[in-house]
Amino acid sequence: MSEKLIIFDTTLRDGEQSPGASMTKDEKVRIAKSLERMRVDIIEAGFPIASVGDFEAVQAVANAVTDSRICGLARALDNDIDRAGEALKGANASRIHTFIATSPIHMKMKLRMEPDQVIENAVKAVKRARRYTDDVEFSPEDAGRSDPDFLCRILEAVIDAGANTLNIPDTVGYNLPHQFGQLIFDLRERIPNADKAVFSVHCHNDLGLAVANSLSAVLNGARQVECTINGLGERAGNAALEEIVMAVRTRQDMFNVDTNIDTTQILAASRLVSGVTGFVVQPNKAIVGANAFAHEAGIHQDGVLKSRETYEIMRAEDVGWNANRMVLGKHSGRNAFRSRLEELGIEFDSETDLNATFRRFKELADKKHEIFDEDLQALVSDTNTLENERICLISLKVCSETGETPFATVTLSVDDEESQVEMEGGGPVDAAFRAIEQIVKSGTELQLYSVNNITSGTDSQGEVNVRLEKGGRIVSGQGADTDIVIASAKAYINALNKILVPVDRAHPQV
Ligand code: KIV
Ligand code: ZN
């Protein structure tokens, strides 16, 4: 009988800390619902003290999800913990995750605290968190570069104070698998009350070792892994949920653990996170990349046809490939539309919003006969206007002809005032972007532009991602349409609307 490995997903918290990956409240709820469908044990929904928006998003996720435990992050500070406790009030099951840095460099340079003060603050924080929930997790930040003797002292003290999960982060992705596994083994051996807590790990991918380090920790007794969909996260990201789950499941001969995850939901969650954040999944990405199960070389195809195990160690359908079914079409009614969206965790605040999205669905169904879940997700993302949206696309006309310079005529409404501009460009997208910038004068720099088809076929919607930078702030925008020039304009305007709204948001680790 294998033991349970707890899957703690932090896409909505650490994943969202990637520059340009910030999500709206509604997007977070949609992702949380998809994680719940996947049977993720714990969803870290955000850092409630960071901003009013973060607080409300954690609150909304706590109210919307019933089957997964909802966690909020808090530094070892009274206000952080109180705010997390408040945001989690509506949750069926809640957890507060509190942390403080323990490596010499972080204690000295960042916290400017003596080690004994750090222990004192950690104990105080855990006790305060226990006033709100009996499920408290403690992390010694930068544990991977901390003194193991000091880790033993602080972890013993926080267990006594009431922490029931001890999360060991390799915050800067510095550890090697054998070393990190040994650290977990030693901590479990040396801490006298270690049996009163679950050991968890949280690995960053700076050396490309986040998954390897997490799995080495599991082999050495860790029973919770913190991870994100598609490995989203700060810098090089966090350990990828899909890789951890499938490694443990595929190599049952090595791991005496298994997860509760419904793996058939993995691909849908991956696509949703990628669509919402604009972080495209590379084709050769394990499990969820477009080529992960594609057998290009003839010899492989021949082998797979004779016996799939010759080259396949997992079945594509087990992680949700080939589950792409046509869900709705031109003749689908409003009720079928609403109920499919509800199954996807998408609800509407009002009948007016539902009707507007339904109208868009009908327009799409006229152009594209088969509508898949991915189309619906893109449609909803596209229809959901941001709060304080200042720029709206009224119309776009482009002209592109062999031997001629393309041009675009764009009409925008900016702060309710309409303007029209015509511009030439290297291509129709370039012309459209120049025209938009001519009206908005944002002074932003385009860092990334990418187009992907949402489903297959030339009638597929194109999903465009645009990343803009201004004064060190990075935002990404998304747009979808069967016409990729229109999708591009929508994505650009979506990013501009985000960058024009000032944000005042604390980062937990700064
Ligand atoms: O990487 C890290 O150390 C973190 C902590 C807050 C757990 O994200
Ligand atoms: Zn982290």
Side-chain angles (χ1 to χ4, degrees):
M1 216 356 221
S2 54
E3 284 181 51
K4 179 170 172 193
L5 179 65
I6 299 167
I7 296 297
F8 176 115
D9 180 280
T10 182
T11 306
L12 302 179
R13 198 278 297 173
D14 219 344
E16 204 205 15
Q17 282 173 217
S18 315
S22 67
M23 307 167 205
T24 64
K25 181 172 79 181
D26 289 345
E27 288 166 345
K28 281 195 167 195
V29 170
R30 270 161 61 206
I31 293 175
K33 294 293 276 181
S34 139
L35 296 172
E36 182 186 34
R37 269 197 300 284
M38 206 199 293
R39 297 204 292 265
V40 160
D41 300 289
I42 299 153
I43 299 172
E44 188 165 54
F47 176 45
I49 194 91
S51 68
V52 174
D54 283 51
F55 177 88
E56 287 173 356
V58 174
Q59 208 172 35
V61 170
N63 291 331
V65 170
T66 47
D67 296 345
S68 308
R69 187 174 286 275
I70 307 303
C71 177
L73 183 73
R75 290 166 298 190
L77 297 170
D78 289 356
N79 285 346
D80 278 41
I81 292 162
D82 295 346
R83 203 75 178 132
E86 185 68 24
L88 293 167
K89 257 187 190 154
N92 221 7
S94 67
R95 169 178 294 187
I96 294 180
H97 175 192
T98 185
F99 74 99
I100 190 164
T102 52
S103 62
I105 182 167
H106 275 226
M107 290 193 287
K108 185 160 178 238
M109 308 304 291
K110 186 176 90 170
L111 300 176
R112 299 183 197 284
M113 278 186 197
E114 290 302 319
D116 283 344
Q117 273 178 293
V118 170
I119 297 184
E120 207 179 294
N121 283 15
V123 165
K124 210 170 130 230
V126 168
K127 287 189 175 155
R128 194 170 184 99
R130 284 294 300 240
R131 291 192 202 164
Y132 294 96
T133 168
D134 56 10
D135 190 330
V136 174
E137 171 171 326
F138 173 75
S139 291
E141 189 195 355
D142 203 14
R145 292 190 300 169
S146 300
D147 170 18
D149 292 341
F150 182 60
L151 284 179
C152 288
R153 277 180 61 208
I154 194 166
L155 293 175
E156 182 182 350
V158 294
I159 298 174
D160 281 342
N164 20 43
T165 301
L166 303 179
N167 179 47
I168 312 301
D170 182 18
T171 304
V172 292
Y174 178 71
N175 280 232
L176 302 179
H178 69 287
Q179 175 194 15
F180 196 62
Q182 189 66 48
L183 174 67
I184 301 302
F185 183 87
D186 291 344
L187 293 175
R188 291 182 60 239
E189 282 286 297
R190 291 180 54 197
I191 298 172
N193 48 4
D195 60 319
K196 297 201 171 52
V198 172
F199 275 76
S200 164
V201 287
H202 173 114
C203 297
H204 279 269
N205 206 29
D206 300 67
L207 292 175
L209 294 170
V211 169
N213 285 340
S214 306
L215 293 175
S216 171
V218 172
L219 290 171
N220 284 282
R223 288 295 174 263
Q224 174 179 289
V225 173
E226 301 199 353
C227 42
T228 58
I229 301 290
N230 300 338
L232 188 71
E234 284 215 285
R235 308 184 307 277
N238 289 57
L241 177 147
E242 60 279 6
E243 296 178 23
I244 301 280
V245 168
M246 291 316 289
V248 163
R249 188 147 303 175
T250 307
R251 295 306 307 269
Q252 283 286 297
D253 56 326
M254 285 289 169
F255 294 97
N256 192 25
V257 295
D258 203 3
T259 69
N260 269 351
I261 298 294
D262 173 359
T263 60
T264 62
Q265 298 294 323
I266 284 179
L267 189 67
S270 161
R271 293 208 163 144
L272 177 60
V273 169
S274 162
V276 162
T277 58
F279 281 54
V280 177
V281 174
Q282 75 202 52
N284 57 332
K285 163 83 180 61
I287 320 291
V288 292
N291 290 352
F293 293 89
H295 294 276
E296 192 77 49
I299 184 165
H300 285 206
Q301 286 177 357
D302 181 54
V304 169
L305 286 177
K306 286 179 181 142
S307 162
R308 63 189 303 164
E309 285 80 20
T310 46
Y311 286 99
E312 278 189 9
I313 57 164
M314 294 168 276
R315 296 185 326 157
E317 51 272 41
D318 288 350
V319 293
W321 287 98
N322 313 331
N324 212 5
R325 53 195 179 93
M326 200 267 281
V327 288
L328 296 170
K330 198 177 163 147
H331 301 294
S332 305
R334 210 161 146 281
N335 281 343
F337 176 72
R338 185 210 294 261
S339 73
R340 186 60 199 154
L341 290 184
E342 275 169 13
E343 279 164 29
L344 293 173
I346 301 164
E347 275 155 31
F348 292 92
D349 290 340
S350 66
E351 285 296 298
T352 324
D353 287 354
L354 170 67
N355 290 342
T357 316
F358 185 61
R359 255 195 316 278
R360 300 273 327 279
F361 159 74
K362 284 287 184 184
E363 282 163 21
L364 178 63
D366 271 339
K367 294 189 230 161
K368 181 178 189 295
H369 300 302
E370 298 176 313
I371 307 284
F372 298 96
D373 285 344
E374 289 88 340
D375 290 311
L376 294 178
Q377 299 275 18
L379 192 74
V380 172
S381 296
D382 228 36
T383 318
N384 267 347
T385 47
L386 299 161
E387 273 171 51
N388 312 324
E389 195 158 86
R390 293 177 52 193
I391 311 165
C392 293
L393 178 66
I394 307 286
S395 69
L396 166 66
K397 183 176 148 198
V398 285
C399 186
S400 162
E401 193 182 335
T402 41
E404 298 292 331
T405 306
F407 69 87
T409 312
V410 173
T411 311
L412 297 184
S413 143
V414 182
D415 296 330
D416 297 324
E417 206 171 293
E418 247 178 71
S419 329
Q420 191 178 71
V421 158
E422 186 174 301
M423 291 293 278
E424 290 184 345
V429 173
D430 185 43
F433 282 19
R434 281 167 187 259
I436 294 169
E437 181 57 20
Q438 177 71 17
I439 298 174
V440 178
K441 298 194 174 27
S442 70
T444 54
E445 198 173 308
L446 182 69
Q447 284 200 332
L448 178 138
Y449 168 78
S450 75
V451 191
N452 289 284
N453 49 335
I454 292 181
T455 52
S456 54
T458 47
D459 70 343
S460 162
Q461 292 195 85
E463 184 172 55
V464 175
N465 290 300
V466 162
R467 196 169 303 159
L468 298 179
E469 191 265 346
K470 186 176 182 183
R473 190 165 154 232
I474 298 172
V475 298
S476 66
Q478 291 76 45
D481 202 283
T482 47
D483 179 322
I484 58 165
V485 184
I486 297 176
S488 304
K490 285 180 182 174
Y492 192 44
I493 290 169
N494 180 242
L496 286 172
N497 273 315
K498 290 183 186 170
I499 215 151
L500 294 183
V501 176
V503 282
D504 184 14
R505 186 162 183 239
H507 185 295
Q509 285 150 310
V510 177

